[in-house]
Amino acid sequence: MINKLVSKIKKMEAPIVVGLDPMYEYVPSHIMKASIEKYGETLEAVGDAIFEYNKGIIDAIYDIAPAVKPQIAMYEQFGIPGLVAFKKTVDYAKSKDMVVIGDAKRGDIGSTSKAYATAHIGKIKVGSAEFAPFDEDFVTVNPYLGSDGINPFIDVCKEEKKGLFILVKTSNPSSGEFQDQEINGKPLYEMVGQKVDEWGKDCMGDDYSYIGAVVGATYPEMGEVLRKVMPKSYILVPGYGAQGGTAADLKPFFNEDGLGAIVNSSRGIICAYKNLEGFDEESFADASRQATINMIEDIKTIF
Amino acid sequence: MINKLVSKIKKMEAPIVVGLDPMYEYVPSHIMKASIEKYGETLEAVGDAIFEYNKGIIDAIYDIAPAVKPQIAMYEQFGIPGLVAFKKTVDYAKSKDMVVIGDAKRGDIGSTSKAYATAHIGKIKVGSAEFAPFDEDFVTVNPYLGSDGINPFIDVCKEEKKGLFILVKTSNPSSGEFQDQEINGKPLYEMVGQKVDEWGKDCMGDDYSYIGAVVGATYPEMGEVLRKVMPKSYILVPGYGAQGGTAADLKPFFNEDGLGAIVNSSRGIICAYKNLEGFDEESFADASRQATINMIEDIKTIF
């Protein structure tokens, strides 16, 4: 799956991923209204509306963006109907040949991590039948529990030819509280980065490993260090746009081959109809396409 | 909610929680068979079966055990039907007046943690209607992202009178890989414990804070230190029984008032029919009651 991701990034000249993080207030009102007419003021209505919203965006961008990253929390907050919308979004994006990164940040002790790996990138048997419960291509994982929380995910990746992005240095303001603490003269995030590099070496695609890392655009100096610590790992870079990261901040995350990083934008693209001139709620999908084009052009300026 | 938990623990003289972690192979075959007859070899059948299995156990223990802790990964692995069973299990346990600890280990950047908090312990509005998506009483949270990943959970706890257990030192063998690393002469887990204590002081119930911690029974020496670092936080202690922790290991996790810790057992109780003499698949619920009684007696020996 890392080979597919890299090949799509090269072909589209677009090292980007669109974050499908549908907050209630982001959904254009005509979509929400139609769903509430169908289902009443229920979670089912919201689930229906966010899937319609995502579908509009996917239809508008699938030929220019290699991947989407639905953040599962934004679906989980709407209960079961929200998670139904998550699953439909994963399936729909894959039907358009997009790579799907499930942003779930799961992680637990061994047997439990195995269950999460099964849920998101694996398969499960029921008698003689087999099911892929959520079936994303990549999933994000939290490393706080150490190797035996990560290894079950790696095992499933190997079986299913899927991939991971492991949290190393997150984009939020207080990420340093624990991640930046010095251990034998090096920050914790660097130690986690070294582990990602180790795990990744055993999981190589053609040029890059399918074990990647998450490093926030908001910390470019740390990105520069981590780029060297994990040369073969793709870095998923959140924090561009709405969280404050600029194109200039992104250069250190890339290797000299112009590859090695994939930059996420969520609100900047899915809510573009609120900010870009000439668009409104009705043209939210066209606005998201324009914002995607703008983002790709912006990132090209750094090379 | 911490007051309810403490009061039930006192009344039942049982500082325990039963982990409802239904792996496929744990479900007694007559239950699985009946569900497959109803739904075919589908995830719906498994969802139906694990709820029936849980219901049997809850009916057998609700008068002697204060709380259950469903591990959401074990439901998520069966996709949407698994999560439907999770929600039904939460609701059913609450209908029997049990306290429900959702073991979800969620954690993300601020706006995303807010969505997870809404999902698990909060409420969401749809027009003029309001819903509690999963509606557990407590939820477990991963601290790797720092304060701004935790604060949205605390805000919701305050509004809803619910609670958290924050991962401090997990029970798994490799938990030390990052958690034990020394920072200014102290291990990371202790630093996280200090933060739990800080967060917790602002969130007091009658005698204990509703911001608790997870510390594995497999690390009693660290439990002893952490008990003193966070005197007002309840410690959720996994790792007793199947993971190797014994009653003697548990003493350091309790305060001198005999309170302050709640010990989890999952397999040891829900799979008791496989190990306890005189029980079989058909009597799985009675076996789980007997195992619960045995566990309570075992823990009493330490006082």
Side-chain angles (χ1 to χ4, degrees):
Chain A
M1 198 45 73
I2 187 68
N3 294 341
K4 179 176 176 179
L5 182 63
V6 174
S7 125
K8 283 188 78 94
I9 288 173
K10 279 186 189 166
K11 197 171 138 204
M12 294 178 172
E13 297 184 61
I16 66 153
V17 50
V18 174
L20 297 176
D21 306 350
M23 295 295 289
Y24 187 89
E25 61 270 24
Y26 295 174
V27 183
S29 54
H30 64 287
I31 294 180
M32 191 61 83
K33 193 163 161 260
S35 297
I36 288 179
E37 271 165 22
K38 255 194 282 180
Y39 296 99
E41 288 182 338
T42 59
L43 294 177
E44 283 72 19
V46 184
D48 185 66
I50 60 183
F51 175 63
E52 285 304 314
Y53 176 45
N54 286 344
K55 196 164 163 287
I57 294 168
I58 291 168
D59 285 341
I61 60 162
Y62 74 90
D63 61 323
I64 54 171
V68 288
K69 181 175 76 63
Q71 164 53 262
I72 197 169
M74 299 305 174
Y75 302 81
E76 210 163 300
Q77 69 179 330
F78 302 116
I80 301 290
L83 289 161
V84 170
F86 176 82
K87 173 64 177 146
K88 284 168 71 178
T89 299
V90 170
D91 290 347
Y92 191 73
K94 289 173 72 174
S95 79
K96 295 289 181 181
D97 201 39
M98 297 190 86
V99 173
V100 177
I101 301 169
D103 197 354
K105 299 190 177 65
R106 300 298 193 249
D108 209 298
I109 66 166
S111 55
T112 312
S113 269
K114 182 157 185 266
Y116 278 131
T118 299
H120 291 282
I121 52 176
K123 294 201 184 85
I124 190 147
K125 278 201 168 164
V126 183
S128 57
E130 197 172 50
F131 300 91
F134 286 99
D135 207 19
E136 300 111 287
D137 296 315
F138 288 82
V139 66
T140 59
V141 176
N142 185 312
Y144 187 68
L145 288 95
S147 293
D148 51 36
I150 299 289
N151 287 332
F153 282 98
I154 294 179
D155 292 344
V156 173
C157 283
K158 285 180 180 169
E159 277 163 37
E160 303 290 340
K161 304 203 175 304
K162 297 206 167 180
L164 305 180
F165 290 101
I166 297 170
L167 302 191
V168 173
K169 171 69 188 171
T170 56
S171 59
N172 56 312
S174 76
S175 69
E177 214 166 277
F178 303 126
Q179 297 166 26
D180 293 3
Q181 293 298 327
E182 292 223 341
I183 295 158
N184 302 326
K186 276 185 188 170
L188 175 61
Y189 64 76
E190 202 174 319
M191 189 179 179
V192 178
Q194 281 165 348
K195 289 299 293 185
V196 168
D197 185 56
E198 263 175 50
W199 289 319
K201 276 180 179 148
D202 189 32
C203 301
M204 286 298 295
D206 290 342
D207 297 309
Y208 280 92
S209 169
Y210 47 86
I211 308 301
V214 175
V215 184
T218 39
Y219 299 104
E221 299 83 4
M222 299 173 186
E224 190 166 4
V225 173
L226 288 165
R227 179 63 292 167
K228 292 187 184 102
V229 169
M230 322 171 285
K232 289 298 177 192
S233 287
Y234 244 78
I235 301 180
L236 170 63
V237 189
Y240 168 84
Q243 285 183 56
T246 66
D249 293 330
L250 297 173
K251 195 162 171 45
F253 295 88
F254 287 89
N255 277 322
E256 288 189 3
D257 58 4
L259 296 169
I262 180 162
V263 182
N264 180 75
S265 177
S266 302
R267 269 170 291 175
I269 290 180
I270 70 173
C271 293
Y273 72 87
K274 295 188 181 191
N275 304 312
L276 288 187
E277 212 162 321
F279 297 97
D280 60 11
E281 287 193 317
E282 296 281 343
S283 57
F284 74 96
D286 295 335
S288 69
R289 183 178 177 88
Q290 188 57 53
T292 304
I293 293 168
N294 295 352
M295 181 183 177
I296 294 169
E297 291 306 313
D298 189 35
I299 290 177
K300 276 188 186 155
T301 63
I302 65 178
F303 295 111
Chain B
M1 198 45 71
I2 186 66
N3 294 341
K4 179 177 176 176
L5 181 63
V6 173
S7 126
K8 283 186 79 92
I9 287 173
K10 280 186 191 170
K11 197 171 136 203
M12 294 178 170
E13 299 184 59
I16 65 152
V17 50
V18 174
L20 296 176
D21 305 351
M23 295 295 290
Y24 187 88
E25 60 271 24
Y26 295 175
V27 183
S29 54
H30 64 287
I31 294 181
M32 191 62 83
K33 192 164 162 257
S35 297
I36 288 178
E37 270 165 23
K38 256 194 282 180
Y39 297 100
E41 289 182 337
T42 60
L43 294 176
E44 283 72 18
V46 184
D48 185 65
I50 60 182
F51 175 62
E52 286 304 316
Y53 176 44
N54 286 343
K55 195 163 163 289
I57 294 168
I58 291 168
D59 285 341
I61 61 161
Y62 74 91
D63 60 324
I64 54 170
V68 288
K69 181 175 76 63
Q71 165 54 264
I72 199 168
M74 299 305 174
Y75 301 81
E76 211 163 299
Q77 68 179 330
F78 302 116
I80 301 290
L83 290 161
V84 169
F86 176 82
K87 172 64 176 148
K88 284 168 73 179
T89 299
V90 171
D91 290 347
Y92 190 73
K94 288 173 73 174
S95 80
K96 295 288 181 183
D97 202 38
M98 298 190 87
V99 173
V100 178
I101 302 169
D103 198 354
K105 298 190 179 64
R106 301 299 192 249
D108 208 299
I109 66 167
S111 55
T112 312
S113 269
K114 183 157 184 269
Y116 279 131
T118 299
H120 290 282
I121 51 175
K123 295 202 183 82
I124 192 147
K125 278 199 169 167
V126 183
S128 57
E130 197 171 48
F131 300 91
F134 286 99
D135 207 18
E136 300 111 288
D137 297 316
F138 288 82
V139 67
T140 59
V141 176
N142 185 310
Y144 188 67
L145 289 94
S147 293
D148 51 37
I150 299 288
N151 288 331
F153 282 98
I154 294 178
D155 292 345
V156 173
C157 283
K158 286 180 181 170
E159 276 164 36
E160 303 291 339
K161 305 204 174 304
K162 297 205 167 181
L164 306 180
F165 290 101
I166 297 170
L167 302 189
V168 173
K169 170 68 187 172
T170 56
S171 60
N172 56 312
S174 77
S175 69
E177 213 166 278
F178 303 126
Q179 296 166 25
D180 293 2
Q181 294 298 329
E182 291 224 342
I183 294 156
N184 301 324
K186 277 184 188 168
L188 174 62
Y189 64 76
E190 203 175 317
M191 190 181 177
V192 178
Q194 281 165 347
K195 290 299 292 186
V196 168
D197 185 58
E198 264 175 49
W199 290 319
K201 276 181 180 148
D202 189 32
C203 301
M204 286 298 294
D206 291 341
D207 297 310
Y208 280 92
S209 170
Y210 45 87
I211 308 301
V214 175
V215 184
T218 39
Y219 299 104
E221 300 83 3
M222 299 174 186
E224 190 168 4
V225 173
L226 288 165
R227 178 65 291 168
K228 292 187 185 102
V229 169
M230 322 171 285
K232 289 299 177 191
S233 288
Y234 244 78
I235 301 181
L236 171 63
V237 189
Y240 167 84
Q243 286 183 56
T246 66
D249 294 330
L250 297 173
K251 196 162 170 39
F253 295 89
F254 287 89
N255 277 321
E256 291 190 0
D257 57 4
L259 297 169
I262 181 163
V263 182
N264 179 74
S265 175
S266 302
R267 268 169 291 175
I269 290 179
I270 69 174
C271 293
Y273 71 88
K274 296 188 180 190
N275 304 312
L276 287 188
E277 212 161 319
F279 296 98
D280 60 9
E281 285 193 318
E282 296 281 343
S283 56
F284 74 97
D286 296 334
S288 69
R289 183 179 178 87
Q290 189 56 54
T292 304
I293 292 170
N294 296 351
M295 180 182 177
I296 293 168
E297 292 306 314
D298 188 35
I299 290 177
K300 275 188 187 155
T301 64
I302 66 177
F303 293 111

